[in-house]
Amino acid sequence: MKFCAKSLNFEQSSDCVVIGIYENTTLSTNAKKLDEATAHYLSDLLKTGDFKGKLAETLLVHTPNQPFTRLLLVGCGKAPLNETQYKKIIKAVVQTLKSTTTQHIHLLLNDLEIKDRNEYWAVRFAIESISDTLYNYDEFKSTKAEATQLAKFCFNSENLAETEKAIQHAQAVALGVKFAKNVANCPPNVCNPAYLAELAKELDSEYSQISTTIVDETQMAELKMNSYLAVSRGSENPAYMSIIEYKNAPNPDAKPIVLVGKGLTFDSGGISIKPSAAMDEMKYDMGGAASVYGTMKAVAELQLPINVIGVLAGCENMPDGNAYRPGDILTTMSGKTVEVLNTDAEGRLVLCDALTYVERFEPECVIDIATLTGACVVGLGHINTGLLSKDDQFVEQLLNASKQAHDYTWHLPMNEEYQDDLKSNFADLANVGSRAGGAITAGIFLSNFTENYTWAHLDIAGTAWQSGAAKGATGRPVPLLTQFLINKSS
């Protein structure tokens, strides 16, 4: 799929021109210009009453006497639009055109009024929405989906340089989201910790700015990553931690930003086994690692002048005779001891050692991303990612990136009193507290291993994938993370 920016010219030939119409057939700015350039063809068409301008309503007509073969009217409802409404409009455009022979589209929707957004964001959200609408994962289907003929979208622009930048950013984000979706949707009999490690090594081969190191179980044992290894003990698939180092800062010694992704390629719950219903979706328990992988891809595509380290904490949690048990006490890499009360609270046991490991990089800041708690789903649903950090300035940076990227995030509290819920009679910490505030106490648990650097935790348990008829990975929070890194590098 190609994207370009051009100045408005209705005499240019194309397979289709897309124009926005508000409710009660009120013409948008570009619609008015088209109407004047075509001897009021559009006004005459709207007089039929077949099109009302309701949000995401579409009307596709053939225009044999015009430079463009087709004209697609898309309803825009009432102005101003919000981001979600705008994306619905773009989705409706793609769904209408993808079954046609249309290849070259002039998307003249830059004039739509989106609250608190400019042309850059209109173009960027359009491209990200186009990519999302066209996404399909049929790697393991014997009959593949028919490829769309949509090949090129051109945007009308009054500021070509800004629009070109939006296209560049959007394509990188969309690619990162696609790669994150692909690896998350991959079945667990294929996507295991070794598979994640191979993907990390492929980035090393593809980009000169990236070098990848794989830490295996022998090395983990030498490093005393006993908590990480305990989770892996019940699985036939060994654990691998992939360290992806991207170095492109003007100062090669600049402190890196570190992203740590929980990579439980399948989580049965271990001895504390999960209910069987929807357990297949536990292949998505590596959504954090998938998002880090996708973000590193986006960063490398953008060639951001920054140093970033992505960690894929690959592991599998299974029950067998060698699996760790409720009641076990683990000595973590940090030296702190943890009493295991529930083996299904395994992600934090993997992450605590990974978070200790990354101290060696002397990071500017660390973000861990994890499908960590069902409690976060209960509290925030499937709309907002949970955000925890004790650093208010860091929180503000992440919330700002979240708003910019339209990748919803909500800041949860971290009062010191929550620490009391993790007390153990026999170890320094218990790996779970009570049901109350479970998303918060999970973050509080991790905070005990992040005392030597600036840290934030993103709980994506409710946002990493969708269930039901729309079952599949979302690729979140790749847009948030990539925007945060764009901001940090500018």
Side-chain angles (χ1 to χ4, degrees):
M1 186 71 66
K2 294 183 178 179
F3 300 94
C4 67
K6 292 183 178 180
S7 297
L8 183 63
N9 183 353
F10 291 114
E11 295 180 359
Q12 292 175 339
S13 63
S14 68
D15 292 336
C16 185
V17 168
V18 182
I19 287 288
I21 308 291
Y22 291 105
E23 274 189 14
N24 300 319
T25 64
T26 302
L27 303 185
S28 64
T29 301
N30 284 341
K32 290 176 182 176
K33 292 178 180 178
L34 181 141
D35 195 42
E36 293 171 2
T38 57
H40 303 293
Y41 174 85
L42 184 55
S43 295
D44 292 339
L45 179 64
L46 291 172
K47 288 177 183 177
T48 64
D50 292 338
F51 187 83
K52 306 297 184 184
K54 294 181 180 179
L55 186 71
E57 177 188 3
T58 59
L59 177 64
L60 180 64
V61 295
H62 287 263
T63 53
N65 298 320
Q66 302 296 337
F68 40 90
T69 306
R70 302 170 184 83
L71 175 64
L72 177 60
L73 309 185
V74 58
C76 301
K78 296 179 181 178
L81 302 168
N82 60 36
E83 297 93 335
T84 300
Q85 291 169 328
Y86 178 71
K87 290 181 178 182
K88 284 181 179 179
I89 290 168
I90 300 298
K91 183 177 181 178
V93 168
V94 176
Q95 288 179 329
T96 301
L97 293 179
K98 70 178 182 179
S99 59
T100 71
T101 58
T102 305
Q103 295 183 4
H104 184 188
I105 302 100
H106 281 178
L107 193 66
L108 306 182
L109 301 178
N110 65 302
D111 60 325
L112 299 183
E113 185 182 352
I114 309 171
K115 187 177 180 180
D116 300 326
R117 299 287 185 175
N118 58 19
E119 187 176 291
Y120 166 92
W121 290 106
V123 172
R124 180 162 157 186
F125 287 152
I127 294 173
E128 292 177 26
S129 298
I130 290 167
S131 178
D132 184 62
T133 306
L134 291 175
Y135 178 80
N136 180 57
Y137 188 76
D138 58 6
E139 181 70 22
F140 294 90
K141 289 189 175 184
S142 55
T143 303
K144 307 298 183 184
E146 187 176 342
T148 178
Q149 294 192 47
L150 300 178
K152 187 175 184 179
F153 284 84
C154 281
F155 297 91
N156 171 44
S157 175
E158 297 179 359
N159 186 337
L160 292 177
E162 192 70 5
T163 302
E164 290 288 356
K165 183 172 74 170
I167 291 172
Q168 180 192 25
H169 288 175
Q171 285 185 293
V173 171
L175 186 67
V177 168
K178 178 182 177 179
F179 272 66
K181 286 181 178 179
N182 284 349
V183 65
N185 285 327
C186 190
N189 59 316
V190 175
C191 180
N192 55 32
Y195 181 86
L196 288 182
E198 288 302 315
L199 291 178
K201 287 188 281 188
E202 286 176 11
L203 291 179
D204 188 327
S205 301
E206 189 174 356
Y207 300 101
S208 61
Q209 296 87 356
I210 286 180
S211 60
T212 296
T213 304
I214 308 299
V215 180
D216 62 23
E217 289 194 345
T218 300
Q219 293 165 302
M220 290 181 192
E222 292 171 355
L223 291 164
K224 298 182 180 180
M225 300 178 75
N226 302 311
S227 183
Y228 196 136
L229 288 170
V231 177
S232 180
R233 264 196 347 237
S235 174
E236 288 291 320
N237 293 310
Y240 293 96
M241 186 170 65
S242 306
I243 315 297
I244 307 165
E245 295 189 63
Y246 171 86
K247 288 188 176 182
N248 200 36
N251 175 8
D253 297 323
K255 291 185 175 183
I257 295 170
V258 179
L259 309 176
V260 181
K262 174 187 171 185
L264 266 291
T265 55
F266 189 76
D267 177 24
S268 69
I271 297 296
S272 307
I273 197 163
K274 294 177 178 289
S276 59
M279 195 195 285
D280 61 290
E281 294 186 4
M282 286 301 96
K283 71 176 185 177
Y284 293 120
D285 211 22
M286 43 70 68
S291 69
V292 171
Y293 171 65
T295 301
M296 296 305 291
K297 181 76 175 177
V299 167
E301 285 290 312
L302 289 171
Q303 298 286 286
L304 294 181
I306 194 171
N307 290 343
V308 185
I309 297 175
V311 178
L312 314 184
C315 191
E316 187 176 55
N317 186 24
M318 298 289 284
D320 81 347
N322 196 41
Y324 77 126
R325 298 152 293 235
D328 284 359
I329 292 180
L330 311 174
T331 302
T332 66
M333 184 181 178
S334 71
K336 293 183 174 73
T337 57
V338 177
E339 181 186 10
V340 178
L341 300 183
N342 189 326
T343 65
D344 193 24
E346 84 300 326
R348 65 201 72 184
L349 298 177
V350 169
L351 287 174
C352 71
D353 277 351
L355 290 168
T356 300
Y357 179 90
V358 301
E359 284 184 20
R360 65 190 57 210
F361 300 120
E362 299 181 2
E364 176 186 339
C365 60
V366 175
I367 306 169
D368 79 74
I369 307 98
T371 50
L372 204 62
T373 66
C376 194
V377 185
V378 173
L380 298 179
H382 300 285
I383 308 300
N384 280 279
T385 289
L387 165 62
L388 292 99
S389 177
K390 294 180 179 178
D391 189 300
D392 291 341
Q393 184 178 3
F394 195 20
V395 166
E396 193 57 38
Q397 291 173 352
L398 288 166
L399 289 176
N400 182 52
S402 164
K403 291 174 184 175
Q404 287 176 295
H406 193 233
D407 190 351
Y408 294 123
T409 307
W410 192 262
H411 183 206
L412 297 170
M414 288 193 71
N415 307 65
E416 187 63 30
E417 288 81 0
Y418 286 110
Q419 195 78 245
D420 293 340
D421 208 23
L422 295 171
K423 286 182 177 179
S424 165
N425 290 345
F426 311 109
D428 297 327
L429 291 165
N431 80 321
V432 292
S434 65
R435 293 185 65 186
I440 295 170
T441 54
I444 291 287
F445 177 90
L446 294 177
S447 72
N448 287 279
F449 303 88
T450 64
E451 295 163 341
N452 296 325
Y453 49 73
T454 301
W455 161 83
H457 163 64
L458 293 174
D459 191 330
I460 59 170
T463 57
W465 79 93
Q466 294 176 299
S467 300
K471 180 180 174 182
T474 64
R476 295 177 64 185
V478 171
L480 184 165
L481 294 171
T482 305
Q483 185 61 49
F484 171 76
L485 295 171
I486 289 172
N487 294 346
K488 294 291 283 187
S489 63
S490 60

